[in-house]
Amino acid sequence: MRESLYQNIFHRDCEDPKKTWAKNRHNITYATAKLLPLLETKTYFDVGANIGVHAWLCNQFDVDVYCFEPNSALNRYIQRNSKPKQLFNVAVGDYNGTAHFTTKAQSPGNHVIKNKTADSITVDIRKIDDMTLPPPGMIKFDV
């Protein structure tokens, strides 16, 4: 049953040769779908949640998902797609503070940068160790 869920939702994108990004996502999503039922601790940290695809997958396996996404423009998609246990509008890092974050639409991935630009926003950075959270059974870092 879980295999058919995976195939119905994600397999379509991988069939389209124009969607080369989906081929990489295909492997990550497939591995996640296979591992979630095996978790002893049903808690998943989705670091770099983007629009909440992996968080949505966690919902299908009754796993509590905590999303971390610094781009607040994506929060409504995460909430609509996945109903996380908690959503943190922060970047995860090795210090607590702020940084500049690219938001260029044509960029292959948004990321923290050294200097502010016209296409960046200032975001909070938090250490996971300093947050009061349950221990995770699995963490996905897409940063």
Side-chain angles (χ1 to χ4, degrees), residues 14-135:
C14 298
E15 293 297 315
D16 184 344
K18 294 178 186 172
K19 294 184 178 179
T20 55
W21 64 269
K23 296 199 183 306
N24 293 330
R25 293 278 180 210
H26 173 273
N27 296 331
I28 296 166
T29 305
Y30 183 77
T32 302
K34 290 293 191 183
L35 291 172
L36 285 173
L38 305 175
L39 296 180
E40 287 183 32
T41 304
K42 300 290 185 188
T43 305
Y44 182 92
F45 290 178
D46 189 356
V47 180
N50 195 272
I51 62 169
V53 172
H54 282 249
W56 175 87
L57 187 60
C58 288
N59 294 154
Q60 308 312 303
F61 291 93
D62 296 321
V63 172
D64 290 336
V65 61
Y66 293 79
C67 294
F68 303 82
E69 176 54 54
N71 187 349
S72 60
L74 299 175
N75 287 354
R76 69 176 183 260
Y77 300 108
I78 296 168
Q79 291 288 1
R80 188 179 328 142
N81 291 337
S82 64
K83 310 286 189 268
K85 182 91 171 172
Q86 197 161 356
L87 170 59
F88 298 95
N89 189 213
V90 299
V92 172
D94 60 352
Y95 66 94
N96 294 317
T98 60
H100 305 293
F101 187 78
T102 64
T103 56
K104 252 185 163 171
Q106 67 269 27
S107 173
N110 297 327
H111 55 278
V112 172
I113 56 175
K114 253 185 186 179
N115 300 314
K116 185 162 181 58
T117 67
D119 296 319
S120 70
I121 57 174
T122 301
V123 298
D124 289 325
I125 294 183
R126 301 275 309 274
K127 290 170 42 176
I128 287 181
D129 293 345
D130 292 347
M131 302 172 81
T132 305
L133 298 166

